[in-house]
Amino acid sequence: MKERILIAVAWPYANGSLHLGHIAGAYLPADIFARYNRLKGNDVLMVSGSDQHGTPITVRADQEGVSPREIAERYHNDFLESWRSLGISFDLFTSTGTENHRRVAQAVFTSLNDKGHIYRDKMSMLYCPNCSRFLPDRYVEGICPHCRGETRGDQCDGCGKPLNPQELINPKCKHCDGIPEVRESEHYFLRLSVFNDKLSHWAGEQAHWKPNVRNFTTRFLNEGLRDRAITRDIEWGVPVPVEGFENKRIYVWFEAVIGYLSASMEWAQVSGDGDAWRRFWDGDARSYYFIGKDNIPFHTIIWPSMLMGYGGLNLPYDVPANEYLTIGGRALSTSRNWAVWVPDYLSRYDPDPLRYFLSVSMPEDGDTDFSWREFVRRNNDELVATYGNLVHRVLTITYKNFEGKVPTPGGPDERSDALIEGARKTFKDVDGMIGLCRFREAMRNIMALAHETNRYLDEKAPWKAIKEDREEAGTSLYVALSVISCLKTMFSPFLPFTSAKLHGLLGLPGSVEELGWAVADIVPGQQLMKPEPLFTKLDESIVVEEDARMESACVN
């Protein structure tokens, strides 16, 4: 039965290019899941957009002496090019800067206000006398009161706890290093506390959540939720739709999560059916939120409480949050420029090797590390020597010795039957793994089948058998081609560019997408295309070059 799947992906701050941590944490797993579900024939909507209202944008604008809008538009376009080049297949990638988003965010705010789920109260805010302004959360730096680590004022980078800037020990203004003072300001608050029991009951029923998500959420709920301010004294963002609050804005963490809904509505308008979004937000539709672990409480506590208060819309079905990707054993840092930036990577290398590396080492249940040495090793030893070599030698031997056509197999044999049966089992297993968002395990099972097929080919040695028993050689090549067809389909959500190329080399009609999540039959006599390598071997020298490039760019 056709399922309706909403794939909601974290909104990146439009203050800098995307790096590998972003891709491994949210965007690649979301794309794999979307491509897989489309191949299955499910009704899929994958949405996200640039978060253009966060204080990281205003910080960058201050540093460059330009407007926040200029920064936001620059990096929004940068994101769009990265998605295209990397093959991240959004149905819509928009931004929080659209009129549509402003309208939807204000409508949700007004609805919650009318129903009594938000209220006005005064709060103590940090004010910088030197800068003559209230300080947004990210403009305040200090010591976390929970873990004693250095952090910013909205959320601790070390322990992950949401913070208010006035909670910090020894706070200082990020802009001028001055010591802020406490002043009162009137704001709106979300009544998070009244949703504590209801959220605990709901979260307790989500047995399919990953342990890190379930444990993180349960800990917060057991500690007891506190009401949280949802407006701020800033000039950049969505205006508060209340008289007297013209100089305040809706706080970014509140309006950004509404982006999943506003993006769905925008997609519906663009598609020509303004109500089309509803089928992804009600009934038995399932919504999956792909995020990094630092965003777990916003998607398992705050956004669900907003949805409960608003009413009539589905709560998240799954939040398959990933852990962090490190580089060379060090945490990625935008401020220190310690990262591999996606545009920079794509200027020198193909997208699928990166998609492969991040898939097979995805930080699903713990932090994982990227190094250029390991990237080169996996490309050369696994993509080139295992999968690429399997495909190329089978196609080359077949094309050369059977007039470029699929040979007719002879009688069955036990070894060949076992490989075909193993391929069927792997296909079924991988189907289940991807459906449960276990992408790393799926990729390793697929590659294990490629290894086994190489062993089969070495045992059968069709390049020798062709001289003595043409039918036996044809049988082993036919079996290998059949397994390669299976591998091609399983790899397609992970490696879309090379899978599309291989689809053509096998002489299959249509496209990968038209075939769907099925194994294309390899038919005797089927015309093959002239073989071409799927992957390029990388020289070991790039390890030194890339390491040196990163070290020279890093600001210590």
Side-chain angles (χ1 to χ4, degrees):
M1 182 178 176
K2 190 175 184 180
E3 297 181 21
R4 289 172 290 137
I5 306 289
L6 171 66
I7 299 176
V9 198
W11 292 55
Y13 284 128
N15 70 322
S17 294
L18 297 158
H19 57 59
L20 299 197
H22 295 127
I23 306 306
Y27 304 105
L28 179 58
D31 184 64
I32 293 167
F33 195 64
R35 288 177 177 275
Y36 160 79
N37 274 286
R38 293 189 193 112
L39 291 173
K40 293 277 287 187
N42 290 328
D43 191 8
V44 174
L45 176 60
M46 176 170 151
V47 295
S48 183
S50 300
D51 186 342
Q52 299 191 346
H53 293 148
T55 49
I57 289 89
T58 61
V59 170
R60 184 66 176 259
D62 288 345
Q63 292 171 344
E64 296 191 16
V66 300
S67 70
R69 187 173 303 280
E70 183 176 334
I71 295 294
E73 291 179 355
R74 178 199 307 169
Y75 287 107
H76 178 72
N77 291 327
D78 187 68
F79 294 164
L80 292 174
E81 178 58 27
S82 290
W83 303 143
R84 185 194 66 79
S85 300
L86 198 54
I88 307 297
S89 56
F90 284 109
D91 293 291
L92 178 72
F93 186 82
T94 181
S95 81
T96 57
T98 66
E99 176 62 21
N100 169 74
H101 177 72
R102 181 199 63 77
R103 184 173 59 253
V104 176
Q106 289 181 335
V108 172
F109 178 98
T110 300
S111 175
L112 293 175
N113 191 26
D114 291 344
K115 294 175 181 179
H117 296 305
I118 59 178
Y119 62 94
R120 290 164 74 157
D121 196 5
K122 290 184 177 180
M123 65 181 294
S124 297
M125 301 281 294
L126 293 184
Y127 182 89
C128 181
N130 295 336
C131 299
S132 299
R133 64 177 174 183
F134 284 101
L135 296 177
D137 295 354
R138 286 195 176 223
Y139 279 66
V140 184
E141 296 178 335
I143 305 299
C144 174
H146 304 288
C147 70
R148 301 301 198 228
E150 293 185 2
T151 188
R152 59 181 191 261
D154 62 338
Q155 185 177 26
C156 180
D157 294 324
C159 65
K161 285 183 177 292
L163 297 169
N164 289 314
Q166 54 270 35
E167 295 179 81
L168 294 180
I169 300 169
N170 299 327
K172 65 179 181 179
C173 173
K174 179 181 178 67
H175 189 69
C176 70
D177 282 338
I179 299 175
E181 60 187 39
V182 178
R183 295 189 183 182
E184 281 197 338
S185 181
E186 189 173 34
H187 286 283
Y188 276 91
F189 289 74
L190 174 64
R191 296 185 191 274
L192 269 179
S193 56
V194 303
F195 292 101
N196 208 126
D197 291 344
K198 194 173 181 179
L199 284 167
S200 295
H201 177 74
W202 167 72
E205 295 179 331
Q206 311 309 312
H208 55 281
W209 283 4
K210 293 166 63 173
N212 66 329
V213 176
R214 190 167 57 250
N215 295 339
F216 205 98
T217 303
T218 300
R219 189 177 82 241
F220 269 81
L221 291 169
N222 288 343
E223 292 175 356
L225 300 180
R226 294 181 295 171
D227 297 349
R228 191 172 170 92
I230 61 171
T231 57
R232 278 294 184 266
D233 294 286
I234 52 178
E235 299 176 355
W236 178 246
V238 174
V240 180
V242 177
E243 186 177 350
F245 276 68
E246 291 82 4
N247 294 326
K248 301 178 191 287
R249 296 294 181 266
I250 300 177
Y251 195 16
V252 64
W253 64 259
F254 182 88
E255 56 106 342
V257 290
I258 298 172
Y260 302 122
L261 179 60
S262 67
S264 301
M265 292 178 172
E266 183 181 345
W267 165 82
Q269 291 292 337
V270 172
S271 71
D273 180 0
D275 288 328
W277 65 273
R278 296 183 184 278
R279 71 177 188 265
F280 295 100
W281 285 88
D282 61 19
D284 58 0
R286 289 183 171 183
S287 53
Y288 293 77
Y289 291 78
F290 287 86
I291 59 170
K293 69 177 178 181
D294 55 331
N295 276 324
I296 290 173
F298 295 98
H299 292 78
T300 63
I301 294 174
I302 292 173
W303 179 227
S305 71
M306 293 165 62
L307 290 170
M308 288 175 179
Y310 187 75
L313 301 176
N314 288 350
L315 299 180
Y317 171 75
D318 199 4
V319 185
N322 274 355
E323 302 288 305
Y324 292 142
L325 182 80
T326 58
I327 294 182
R330 296 159 61 183
L332 275 71
S333 173
T334 300
S335 61
R336 294 195 301 272
N337 202 31
W338 182 252
V340 175
W341 304 102
V342 173
D344 189 51
Y345 169 90
L346 291 170
S347 70
R348 292 188 292 280
Y349 307 106
D350 292 331
D352 274 359
L354 178 62
R355 290 178 65 110
Y356 174 76
F357 179 93
L358 296 179
S359 296
V360 79
S361 57
M362 191 169 286
E364 293 177 350
D365 51 16
D367 295 351
T368 58
D369 193 63
F370 174 92
S371 71
W372 283 105
R373 183 168 303 282
E374 184 66 1
F375 172 75
V376 169
R377 186 195 70 77
R378 285 196 180 275
N379 179 83
N380 292 350
D381 294 353
E382 296 172 13
L383 282 183
V384 175
T386 299
Y387 181 43
N389 183 55
L390 167 66
V391 171
H392 194 62
R393 64 173 174 165
V394 169
L395 287 176
T396 299
I397 296 168
T398 305
Y399 196 86
K400 178 182 179 181
N401 293 284
F402 291 89
E403 300 177 340
K405 297 179 181 180
V406 175
T408 300
D413 67 85
E414 186 175 339
R415 182 68 176 95
S416 298
D417 290 347
L419 180 62
I420 293 294
E421 183 57 35
R424 293 195 188 103
K425 183 181 184 303
T426 299
F427 190 82
K428 182 179 179 181
D429 290 344
V430 166
D431 183 23
M433 292 169 191
I434 300 179
L436 294 173
C437 300
R438 289 156 50 186
F439 308 116
R440 184 179 62 198
E441 186 179 2
M443 176 60 85
R444 291 176 178 178
N445 273 261
I446 298 168
M447 189 56 74
L449 177 61
H451 277 289
E452 180 59 25
T453 309
N454 271 316
R455 283 191 287 271
Y456 167 84
L457 209 62
D458 289 341
E459 293 170 17
K460 294 294 186 179
W463 49 89
K464 294 180 180 178
I466 192 73
K467 302 172 184 177
E468 304 166 358
D469 190 334
R470 185 176 178 82
E471 183 178 275
E472 181 182 343
T475 298
S476 60
L477 291 170
Y478 173 84
V479 169
L481 286 167
S482 297
V483 177
I484 287 170
S485 179
C486 181
L487 288 167
K488 183 264 302 178
T489 297
M490 290 188 291
F491 268 124
S492 59
F494 301 89
L495 311 177
F497 298 99
T498 47
S499 294
K501 182 177 181 179
L502 179 54
H503 188 89
L505 292 176
L506 290 171
L508 297 171
S511 65
V512 171
E513 291 74 20
E514 290 170 337
L515 172 65
W517 187 253
V519 180
D521 290 333
I522 298 298
V523 181
Q526 180 175 309
Q527 183 65 54
L528 303 171
M529 301 299 291
K530 186 176 180 180
E532 296 177 12
L534 292 182
F535 306 102
T536 301
K537 186 174 182 179
L538 298 175
D539 194 280
E540 292 284 344
S541 64
I542 76 163
V543 175
V544 176
E545 295 169 6
E546 295 293 352
D547 283 346
R549 182 179 283 112
M550 287 188 62
E551 290 290 350
S552 65
C554 183
V555 179
N556 294 313

